[in-house]
């Protein structure tokens, strides 16, 4: 930290705390004797508090010290902690805070200097990372509408309800013009400093239709690695590259205006594609799309006709609705498992899209606990001149449409299976024919 302005005679502790609070980036240099200083340990606790509250970017540097010594308080760090416990035996809670802070800081991605490289090259790598963080372009945010702050905080609670580990995907669902993108921009500004890399993919729907899914994959890669030559030429190659390159990176990925399952599958197929600490935010008008992708932490925009803004999937602990940690349910890298299989969920998403197109309505919910009926928001009037249908008949009508969509889907799968069986039979017949010819040749010989 630059000590310019820390004049002699000042209360250096208070001055440093203000400097830490006002910093976007904190570089912590762990040396052999770092833990000997209670002063340094207090500063470390403050840095991590700023990281949690303001998303301050933390970059640890392990100078001639194993990071496991820092993480598990062994070696010189173990000796230092033993001395502190003896010295502060009347205030052991303070020592416990130091231990937790050391463990947390050692889990951040950082740099290790072991003396086998030139120091100027090592410092150059650090400067490169810091420069990239400083150069991040701020996204434009419109004038905040009333209530935005509370909405942003609720989305943040969904992102970090289990702490800062794991990999979590959060959906923001709402009608057109409900402010989904504005909330996503605000979240970006609030927490982006806490990640190694960030990527805000705007207009996913439009860019997907115009340029294709590979374009989205290349946009993600170029944003994260700032390299224009890092491009994929096919959908499968893009997935392979994303998984290989991002599995060890803690990134913030925001996908704005998603409307098809394949768009999510192209750039954020599964949590294990990304490094621990990664957060993925998806904004969409189609809640079925989020559920089919296994995204259970969903924030409902206030004007999306929902009783509660924060929604958790049926059967989960109600504490999830408040952004609190829940111990129930299986988790994979911090992301709750989908309640239904991917194939069934995708099929339901397609059915919901089909119904939406046919009835000119907007889908606002669809899951297995609703007997496969997609509840929709109907317009006040029907433009075709027919009388309004009572609510009960509407639900029956929607059930019929869902059922028809399911039948059509099953018929299509049946046709595909018949084609596959026909092709297999043809291949078997060809094999038998070739085998017969070979046997005839052997007999003739």
């Amino acid at each position: 930290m630059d000590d310019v302005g820390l004049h002699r005679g000042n209360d250096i502790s208070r001055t440093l705390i203000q400097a830490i609070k006002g910093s976007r980036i904190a570089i912590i240099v762990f040396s052999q004797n770092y833990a000997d200083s209670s002063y340094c340990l207090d500063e470390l606790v403050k840095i991590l508090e700023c990281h949690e509250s303001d998303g301050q970017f933390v970059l640890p540097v392990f100078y001639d010290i194993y990071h496991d010594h820092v993480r598990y308080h062994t070696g010189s760090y173990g000796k230092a902690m033993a001395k502190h416990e003896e010295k502060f035996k009347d205030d052991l809670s303070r020592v416990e805070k130091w231990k937790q802070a050391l463990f947390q800081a050692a889990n951040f991605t950082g740099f290790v200097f072991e003396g086998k490289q030139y120091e100027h090259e090592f410092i150059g790598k650090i400067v490169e990372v810091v420069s990239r963080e400083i150069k991040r372009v701020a996204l434009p945010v419109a004038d905040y509408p009333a209530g935005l702050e509370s909405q942003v905080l609720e989305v943040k609670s969904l992102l970090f309800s289990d702490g800062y580990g794991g990999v979590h995907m959060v959906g923001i669902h709402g009608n057109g013009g409900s402010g989904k993108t504005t909330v996503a921009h605000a979240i970006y500004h609030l927490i982006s400093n806490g990640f190694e890399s960030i990527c805000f993919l705007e207009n996913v729907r439009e860019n997907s239709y115009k340029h294709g899914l590979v374009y989205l994959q290349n946009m993600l890669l170029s944003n994260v690695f700032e390299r224009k030559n890092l491009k994929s030429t096919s959908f499968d190659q893009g997935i392979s590259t994303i998984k290989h390159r991002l599995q060890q990176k803690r990134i913030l990925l925001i996908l704005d205006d998603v409307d098809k399952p394949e768009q999510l599958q192209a750039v954020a197929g599964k949590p294990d594609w990304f490094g621990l600490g990664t957060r993925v935010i998806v904004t969409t008008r189609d809640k079925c799309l989020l559920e089919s992708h296994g995204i259970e932490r969903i924030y409902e925009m206030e004007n999306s006709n929902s009783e509660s803004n924060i929604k958790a999937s049926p059967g989960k602990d109600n504490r999830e609705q408040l952004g609190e940690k829940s111990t129930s349910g299986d988790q994979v890298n911090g992301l709750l498992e989908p309640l239904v299989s991917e194939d069934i969920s995708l099929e339901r998403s397609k059915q919901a899209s089909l119904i939406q197109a046919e009835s000119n309505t907007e889908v606002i919910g669809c899951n297995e606990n609703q007997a496969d009926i997609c509840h929709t928001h109907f317009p006040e009037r029907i433009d075709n001149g027919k009388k309004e249908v009572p609510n009960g008949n509407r639900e029956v009508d929607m059930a019929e449409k869902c059922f028809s969509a399911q039948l059509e889907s099953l018929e299509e799968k049946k046709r595909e299976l018949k084609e596959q069986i026909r092709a297999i039979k043809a291949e078997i017949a060809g094999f038998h024919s070739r085998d017969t010819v070979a046997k005839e040749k052997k007999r003739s010989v």
Side-chain angles (χ1 to χ4, degrees), residues 331-348:
Q331 297 192 11
V332 178
N333 285 339
L335 182 66
L336 296 172
E337 286 278 25
L339 292 176
V340 291
S341 71
E342 183 175 333
D343 290 340
I344 295 175
S345 300
L346 289 177
E347 197 59 47
R348 286 179 178 155

Side-chain angles (χ1 to χ4, degrees), residues 49 59 83 133 156 249 381 426 431:
E49 287 176 358
L59 182 66
K83 291 179 180 178
E133 290 296 317
K156 183 182 176 184
K249 274 192 170 291
R381 302 182 52 152
F431 174 79

Side-chain angles (χ1 to χ4, degrees), residues 311-326:
K311 294 293 185 182
S313 292
K316 294 295 179 185
D317 195 319
N318 289 334
R319 288 174 295 173
E320 286 289 330
Q321 297 183 17
L322 302 175
E324 297 178 2
K325 187 182 294 186
S326 172

Side-chain angles (χ1 to χ4, degrees), residues 170-282:
V170 169
I172 301 177
H173 167 248
N175 302 330
S178 60
K180 301 184 298 296
T181 301
T182 302
V183 169
H185 279 171
I187 285 288
Y188 173 98
H189 283 283
L190 181 64
I191 69 173
S192 60
N193 286 337
F195 297 86
E196 294 177 65
S197 300
I198 52 176
C199 178
F200 194 116
L201 290 182
E202 295 186 282
N203 304 317
V204 169
R205 172 168 56 101
E206 180 181 346
N207 286 324
S208 173
Y209 293 158
K210 284 184 177 180
H211 308 292
L213 299 175
V214 175
Y215 174 83
L216 298 178
Q217 294 173 329
N218 288 333
M219 285 293 293
L220 169 60
L221 292 169
S222 62
N223 269 270
V224 171
F225 295 99
E226 298 181 350
R227 288 168 54 186
K228 294 182 178 180
N229 61 339
L230 187 60
K231 291 185 177 181
S232 299
T233 57
S234 70
F235 180 84
D236 290 337
Q237 183 190 11
I239 289 178
S240 178
T241 303
I242 290 171
K243 291 168 66 176
H244 175 70
R245 295 274 184 171
L246 300 185
Q247 275 185 336
Q248 301 301 321
K249 274 192 170 291
R250 185 180 71 256
I251 73 169
L252 171 63
L253 173 59
I254 301 177
L255 306 173
D256 183 48
D257 194 20
V258 175
D259 74 332
K260 297 292 183 185
E262 52 265 29
Q263 294 160 0
L264 288 176
Q265 292 165 358
V267 293
K270 293 182 179 180
D272 60 10
W273 287 17
F274 308 101
L276 296 179
T278 290
R279 295 295 181 267
V280 180
I281 301 172
V282 181

Side-chain angles (χ1 to χ4, degrees), residues 59 70 78 101 105 132 181 205 209 213 248 266 275 282 288 297 356 368 397 410 423:
L59 182 66
V70 179
R132 186 173 68 240
T181 301
R205 172 168 56 101
Y209 293 158
L213 299 175
Q248 301 301 321
V282 181
C288 288
R297 301 180 183 194
Q356 182 177 357
E368 70 277 19
D397 185 50
L410 289 172

